[in-house]
Amino acid sequence: MSIARKASDLFRLAQAIVRQPRLALSLLEAVPYSQRGFNFSRNWQQSDDESRFSYPTMPNRMQEFCDALVEGPGVWKWDHYLDIYNRHLQKFMDREVHVMEVGVYSGGGLRMLRNYFGEQSQLYGVDIEADCKCYANDHTKIFIGDQEDRSFWGDVRKQVPCLDVLIDDGGHEHEQQITTLEEMLPHLSPGGVFICEDIRGDLERFNAFAYGLTSSLSKMTPYQPDGIHTTAFQSNIASIHCYPYVTIIEKANAPIPRFVAPKRGTQWQPFLEGKLMKDLQ
Ligand SMILES: C[S@@+](CC[C@H](N)C(=O)[O-])C[C@H]1O[C@@H](n2cnc3c(N)ncnc32)[C@H](O)[C@@H]1O
């Protein structure tokens, strides 16, 4: 790590402690648990067992496209992403879906997405290199700009009023990834899917940012007679998924105003009476 980067990180750390000392202390208290997680994973022993519940693999147009691609505009993806994407994106296939790829490079990714989502899809490509303009066509609009530039995203939002899927395969630096998410996740449609690729390395900063997001999904507010009233974030964000090198965020199909946990059934052991409600308060 360069001295300038180290100095900037230390400056940010000092700022964070001064601005939000209580949050900084809570994060510090979480350090031993993060260390436990690191140590647990590092000491993991390889198991060669296989699942007893293997199921037929789901057909995956993206995989088929990549397997068949031997010439023409190139696609550059980690192979294991294709199965993950199919899991989160198949609901959009063959529908009028608006999809953005950040990082166009040689145009093959956009072709793969068009093949996957079908004829009704509208694609948007974003790249810092003006040469990528050549991939514009009747179903693909190309924006040239820097994904770390917030005003660039302001312009993009004006020109793309509806967006269902965003795949960030751009510069892969954490400031670029975080800025893109901050600017575009709120703009995604309900039910939309945000994918950030290529988060790699121990203690990656994007992962630290994502920890703030996942932690916020677990936030508890006092239990009300009609349940727990969700925060705006909990109401709109359905889930956050962490895979090797890739994080996926799914937006809720509709706002989730409350979390409720009704006790169903009539027969209950007495030993937890009162305790569960106390835990919720
Ligand atoms: C890994 S390639 C994308 C690969 C492509 N998605 C595919 O599937 O083959 C990364 C692309 O991100 C672009 N890029 C790098 N930094 C960027 C930035 N700050 N803003 C926008 N695009 C950027 C590069 O010009 C390059 O075309």
Side-chain angles (χ1 to χ4, degrees):
M1 189 189 290
S2 72
I3 293 177
R5 161 101 186 264
K6 188 99 197 144
S8 135
D9 278 355
L10 283 174
F11 179 69
R12 276 169 191 248
L13 178 62
Q15 257 186 339
I17 293 170
V18 171
R19 282 188 187 151
Q20 291 182 290
R22 283 180 63 180
L23 180 57
L25 185 62
S26 301
L27 287 169
L28 215 52
E29 284 166 359
V31 166
Y33 297 93
S34 295
Q35 280 178 334
R36 248 166 99 174
F38 272 113
N39 293 333
F40 182 74
S41 59
R42 282 176 184 158
N43 294 329
W44 186 266
Q45 299 290 317
Q46 173 63 35
S47 156
D48 291 326
D49 294 347
E50 284 186 19
S51 169
R52 292 181 293 113
F53 302 100
S54 63
Y55 51 88
T57 35
M58 292 179 281
N60 182 349
R61 263 190 223 165
M62 238 182 255
Q63 184 75 58
E64 286 160 12
F65 180 91
C66 288
D67 289 347
L69 186 64
V70 282
E71 59 180 28
V75 186
W76 197 10
K77 292 258 168 252
W78 291 92
D79 239 351
H80 70 275
Y81 288 178
L82 302 174
D83 182 40
I84 297 168
Y85 288 3
N86 196 36
R87 199 173 305 156
H88 290 273
L89 298 178
Q90 54 188 304
K91 68 176 181 180
F92 300 107
M93 283 166 67
D94 300 319
R95 300 175 73 172
E96 194 207 306
V97 60
H98 296 251
V99 180
M100 180 173 286
E101 179 183 50
V102 181
V104 171
Y105 193 23
S106 305
L110 287 168
R111 287 184 71 212
M112 178 189 79
L113 295 172
R114 175 72 173 176
N115 179 271
Y116 183 79
F117 290 110
E119 300 271 296
Q120 296 179 63
S121 58
Q122 172 63 50
L123 303 187
Y124 305 94
V126 168
D127 208 287
I128 200 163
E129 296 289 343
D131 288 351
C132 294
K133 264 276 180 209
C134 68
Y135 300 112
N137 55 37
D138 62 339
H139 55 262
T140 309
K141 195 170 164 64
I142 301 288
F143 296 95
I144 301 300
D146 180 353
Q147 67 177 130
E148 204 177 323
D149 174 358
R150 292 185 189 278
S151 67
F152 166 70
W153 286 119
D155 287 344
V156 169
R157 284 196 301 269
K158 275 187 216 139
Q159 295 181 63
V160 184
C162 173
L163 189 63
D164 304 297
V165 176
L166 187 149
I167 300 172
D168 179 357
D169 186 19
H172 304 316
E173 287 182 15
H174 63 267
E175 275 303 334
Q176 297 169 342
Q177 293 168 326
I178 293 171
T179 304
T180 303
L181 188 152
E182 286 174 341
E183 292 295 321
M184 294 306 282
L185 182 63
H187 188 66
L188 276 200
S189 320
V193 175
F194 186 100
I195 298 178
C196 183
E197 287 190 1
D198 290 16
I199 305 148
R200 286 172 295 174
D202 268 4
L203 298 169
E204 219 288 334
R205 298 313 197 242
F206 181 88
N207 277 336
F209 171 80
Y211 172 70
L213 303 182
T214 52
S215 220
S216 302
L217 276 191
S218 307
K219 186 172 172 62
M220 289 286 279
T221 52
Y223 198 84
Q224 310 283 342
D226 57 352
I228 297 234
H229 292 203
T230 54
T231 63
F233 188 72
Q234 287 170 323
S235 178
N236 291 157
I237 301 298
S239 58
I240 302 175
H241 308 254
C242 171
Y243 295 100
Y245 310 156
V246 65
T247 293
I248 300 191
I249 302 181
E250 294 208 353
K251 292 188 79 169
N253 289 328
I256 306 161
R258 282 180 296 282
F259 293 143
V260 292
K263 287 179 90 174
R264 298 185 168 98
T266 53
Q267 296 168 11
W268 302 93
Q269 294 285 358
F271 52 78
L272 283 186
E273 281 307 314
K275 180 172 184 317
L276 284 178
M277 277 314 285
K278 224 180 282 157
D279 283 351
L280 287 174
Q281 278 154 5

